[in-house]
């Protein structure tokens, strides 16, 4: 009776997950007794480990129940008021909003790192100190954002946790390298967020894309720097997996949850005519690299808001190690505290290389191992490259290995011909009509559509023969077949025949869990 009421109240795509989890409640309720009984025998840890997926699925149900109102609210991608951990303080007498006061981060008891030791962004190829804004922990940027600590770094920016003194909440501050170096990259990312901001307000994919809360420029000693303000996120898929040292792959229910959010995000981006995967035609792209939908660009929301306060408290009491050189500080970054997996939601990030739909592109794109056939063969490409990238991502995080990763034996490096040979071995030969649209097709294929091999010819294989994880998880052959069928809908030579994110949301394997 109660189950039927739950499904009726939450009559949406999570109903099947509710039913599945409900059936598992009996063994979960017995868990306490089992653990107590096996503790006597010294085997309680084995029982706890075996039942871990059931705990995770049960807690995931509560999140799915909350997902619909969270994703369907008609407002901006993320409402700043939702980032406030406590009610915004107001003066008791006047009722006027009170801002946070800056805190004192001048604790001198920090570890000094030798000037000769290269750390953080200094270790990156092509690093130029003057390209980076010399952030100091405790400084207030744009008269509003006080820097709390360093979260990370990259070739194009450093990332910091900050206190929004006006909004009374924590935010993530991304401070880009000199605008004179990265202007085209920054403007492209800003334009992408502007398009995403004006998409359909009632689309659930809005909440599956990292929001831009604010943007501005600041003056540094060597020029201007663009800054982006985002909601703070905890980490990417790799960080998510490291929460449990005994697990190196995503469980099928969690993978289905991640995929559902990703497909929502890509469907929303498509509505806004934004392609996440970008081309390599802009200046300094060889330095910036190629952005893509990869495990590093799928991050998770904060599942434990108290971790932000703990991060701040730790920085106040035990300041980050740092080095000072020529008046600049280089800080060591550290992560926001561990999170509860069941409280973290995946979001798609990094639109700095995004290009627009409604037009065809022919420039090189995607990291080598994620490159789609149309990109390699220079067939005009569009939104479909993002779907190919998702398929490659799935294999990375579910199987624990790259789907396409063979290096050329003679040159010991990535080569397009070897990559195409892997595709032919896995998918069979490409359609002739597809090859006819590729400017580079004649470099690799004969007029009969056969790959012109220069080395070892790879024997035919299949997804079924290389898939291993579901052999351990599937209770029957049907689930494994459904998963492989999902992969087959994305790994298609001709992008015109590749399924769209909206179609993939209705896939049978996804719907088994949602």
């Amino acid at each position: 009776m109660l189950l039927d009421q739950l499904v009726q109240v939450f009559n949406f795509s999570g109903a099947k997950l509710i039913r599945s989890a409900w059936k598992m409640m009996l063994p979960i309720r017995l868990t306490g007794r089992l653990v107590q009984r096996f503790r006597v025998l010294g085997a309680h840890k084995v029982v706890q480990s075996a039942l871990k997926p059931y705990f995770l699925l049960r807690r995931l149900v509560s999140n799915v129940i909350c997902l619909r109102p969270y994703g369907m609210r008609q407002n901006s991608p993320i409402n700043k008021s939702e980032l406030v951990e406590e009610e915004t303080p107001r003066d008791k007498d006047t009722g006027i909003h009170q801002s946070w006061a800056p805190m004192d981060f001048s604790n001198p008891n920090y570890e000094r790192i030798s000037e000769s030791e290269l750390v953080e962004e200094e270790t990156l190829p092509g690093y130029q100190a003057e390209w980076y804004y010399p952030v100091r922990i405790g400084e207030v940027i744009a008269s509003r954002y006080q820097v709390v600590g360093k979260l990370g770094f990259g070739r194009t920016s450093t990332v910091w946790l900050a206190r929004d003194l006006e909004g009374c909440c924590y935010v993530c501050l991304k401070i880009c390298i000199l605008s004179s170096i990265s202007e085209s990259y920054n403007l492209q990312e800003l334009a992408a967020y502007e398009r995403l901001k004006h998409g359909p307000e009632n689309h659930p994919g809005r909440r599956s894309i990292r929001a831009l809360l604010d943007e501005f420029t600041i003056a540094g000693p060597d020029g201007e720097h663009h800054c982006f303000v985002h909601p703070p996120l905890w980490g990417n898929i790799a960080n998510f997996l490291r929460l449990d040292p005994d697990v190196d792959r995503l469980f099928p229910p969690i993978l289905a949850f991640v995929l559902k959010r990703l497909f929502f995000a890509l469907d929303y981006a498509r509505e806004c005519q934004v392609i996440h995967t970008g081309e390599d035609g802009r200046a300094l792209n060889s330095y910036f690299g190629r952005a893509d939908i990869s495990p590093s660009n799928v991050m998770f929301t904060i599942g434990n808001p108290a971790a932000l306060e703990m991060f701040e408290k730790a920085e106040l009491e035990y300041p980050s190690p740092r080095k000072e050189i020529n008046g600049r500080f280089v800080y060591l970054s550290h992560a926001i505290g561990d999170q509860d997996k069941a409280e973290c939601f995946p979001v798609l990030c990094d639109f700095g290389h995004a290009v627009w739909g409604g037009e065809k592109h022919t420039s090189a794109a995607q990291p080598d191992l994620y490159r789609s056939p149309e990109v390699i063969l220079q067939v005009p490409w569009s939104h479909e490259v993002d779907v190919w990238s998702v398929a490659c991502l799935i294999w990375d995080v579910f199987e624990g290995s790259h789907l396409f990763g063979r290096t050329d034996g003679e040159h010991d490096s990535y080569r397009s011909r070897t990559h195409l040979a892997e595709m032919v071995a896995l998918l069979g030969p490409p359609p002739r009509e597809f090859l006819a649209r590729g400017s580079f097709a004649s470099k690799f294929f004969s007029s009969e559509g056969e790959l012109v091999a220069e080395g070892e010819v790879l024997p035919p294989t299949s997804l079924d023969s290389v898939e291993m994880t579901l052999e351990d998880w599937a209770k029957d052959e049907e689930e494994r077949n459904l998963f492989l069928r999902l992969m087959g809908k994305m790994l298609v030579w001709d992008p015109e025949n590749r399924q769209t994110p909206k179609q993939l949301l209705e896939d049978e394997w996804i719907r088994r869990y949602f």
Side-chain angles (χ1 to χ4, degrees), residues 30-45:
L30 294 175
T31 301
R33 302 176 197 171
L34 284 172
V35 172
Q36 279 297 109
R37 186 165 296 179
F38 278 90
R39 188 181 299 276
V40 178
L41 302 176
H44 60 285
K45 290 187 177 180

Side-chain angles (χ1 to χ4, degrees), residues 101-223:
M103 302 185 76
D104 182 6
F105 287 88
S106 61
N107 187 340
N109 300 316
Y110 56 82
E111 178 187 345
R112 274 77 173 171
I113 300 173
S114 169
E115 289 188 17
S116 61
E117 182 181 352
L118 297 181
V119 295
E120 303 275 301
E121 56 266 26
E122 293 180 311
T123 63
L124 297 174
Y127 168 78
Q128 300 287 333
E130 62 273 14
W131 287 10
Y132 290 81
Y133 179 79
V135 180
R136 294 202 177 200
I137 289 177
E139 77 168 294
V140 178
I141 293 177
S143 303
R144 177 170 179 172
Y145 304 105
Q146 184 180 28
V147 177
V148 175
K150 189 176 183 182
L151 295 174
F153 63 93
R155 291 188 171 192
T156 61
S157 64
T158 51
V159 182
W160 308 79
L161 182 67
R163 307 171 72 240
D164 181 353
L165 303 180
E166 182 179 318
C168 301
C169 62
Y170 295 96
V171 296
C172 174
L173 196 59
K174 176 181 174 182
I175 305 179
C176 302
I177 60 174
L178 284 172
S179 296
S180 58
I181 304 296
S182 62
E183 184 175 16
S184 62
Y185 179 87
N186 299 335
L187 292 178
Q188 191 76 359
E189 184 167 16
L190 184 59
Y193 278 117
E194 189 66 20
R195 284 177 175 242
L196 294 167
K197 176 182 176 182
H198 292 97
E201 291 187 345
N202 62 346
H203 195 297
R206 287 181 75 105
R207 301 303 290 265
S208 299
I209 290 175
R210 190 180 200 180
L212 178 66
L213 304 176
D214 194 8
E215 58 86 20
F216 52 87
T217 57
I218 55 174
D222 298 290

Side-chain angles (χ1 to χ4, degrees), residues 12-21 24 57 60-61 64 250-260 398 470 473-475 479-480 482-483 486 505 507-514:
F12 66 109
S13 59
K16 288 192 176 181
L17 180 60
I18 295 175
R19 290 187 184 276
S20 299
M24 296 180 182
L57 186 58
L60 185 60
V61 172
V64 174
L250 292 182
F251 296 141
I254 306 304
L255 176 62
F257 181 55
V258 170
L259 283 178
K260 190 174 182 69
F398 194 45
L470 278 176
W473 272 90
K475 295 179 180 179
E479 176 166 1
R480 187 167 186 267
L482 288 176
F483 174 75
L486 167 64
L505 281 166
D507 179 78
E508 293 177 81
W509 189 77
I510 299 287
R511 290 170 67 87
R512 283 175 73 94
Y513 296 99
F514 298 96

Side-chain angles (χ1 to χ4, degrees), residues 167-419:
C168 301
C169 62
Y170 295 96
V171 296
C172 174
L173 196 59
K174 176 181 174 182
I175 305 179
C176 302
I177 60 174
L178 284 172
S179 296
S180 58
I181 304 296
S182 62
E183 184 175 16
S184 62
Y185 179 87
N186 299 335
L187 292 178
Q188 191 76 359
E189 184 167 16
L190 184 59
Y193 278 117
E194 189 66 20
R195 284 177 175 242
L196 294 167
K197 176 182 176 182
H198 292 97
E201 291 187 345
N202 62 346
H203 195 297
R206 287 181 75 105
R207 301 303 290 265
S208 299
I209 290 175
R210 190 180 200 180
L212 178 66
L213 304 176
D214 194 8
E215 58 86 20
F216 52 87
T217 57
I218 55 174
D222 298 290
E224 290 190 334
H225 299 260
H226 213 99
C227 301
F228 295 95
V229 182
H230 298 284
L233 295 177
W234 172 72
N236 56 36
I237 289 179
N239 304 127
F240 185 82
L241 288 172
R242 282 197 290 269
L243 282 176
D244 189 338
D246 298 326
V247 177
D248 60 354
R249 302 172 189 179
L250 292 182
F251 296 141
I254 306 304
L255 176 62
F257 181 55
V258 170
L259 283 178
K260 190 174 182 69
R261 296 273 295 196
L262 264 182
F263 291 148
F264 270 135
L266 290 180
D267 185 56
Y268 178 75
R270 192 183 184 103
E271 292 277 351
C272 301
Q273 292 294 309
V274 174
I275 305 171
H276 186 279
T277 296
E279 55 189 10
D280 284 356
R282 296 193 297 278
L284 283 184
N285 213 77
S286 59
Y287 177 78
F288 291 155
R290 299 168 179 169
D292 200 8
I293 301 173
S294 61
S296 62
N297 287 332
V298 179
M299 300 189 72
F300 290 84
T301 57
I302 301 293
N304 175 22
L308 300 175
E309 293 182 356
M310 292 188 287
F311 186 104
E312 178 182 87
K313 183 179 180 181
E315 186 60 43
L316 289 167
E317 297 179 1
Y318 309 101
S320 298
R322 67 202 68 172
K323 65 181 289 187
E324 183 177 3
I325 183 167
N326 298 327
R328 291 173 175 264
F329 285 99
V330 180
Y331 297 87
L332 294 190
S333 55
H334 56 108
I336 294 171
D338 285 349
Q339 303 293 306
D340 185 341
K341 283 185 178 182
E343 302 296 332
C344 298
F345 293 91
V347 292
L348 181 60
C349 305
D350 191 358
F351 285 83
H353 288 264
V355 293
W356 316 138
E359 55 187 274
K360 293 294 185 178
H361 306 272
T362 55
S363 298
Q366 303 173 290
D368 290 339
L369 298 181
Y370 279 32
R371 293 177 74 194
S372 59
E374 60 266 37
V375 168
I376 297 176
L377 298 175
Q378 224 180 61
V379 175
W381 54 266
S382 189
H383 293 278
E384 296 80 13
V385 295
D386 284 340
V387 173
W388 182 276
S389 295
V390 171
C392 294
L393 177 148
I394 292 173
W395 212 260
D396 280 355
V397 301
F398 194 45
E399 292 296 326
S401 62
H402 295 305
L403 186 58
F404 304 107
R406 183 186 292 263
T407 58
D408 180 77
E410 181 180 350
H411 299 85
D412 194 28
S413 62
Y414 172 86
R415 293 191 74 201
S416 297
R417 190 179 302 275
T418 304
H419 197 161

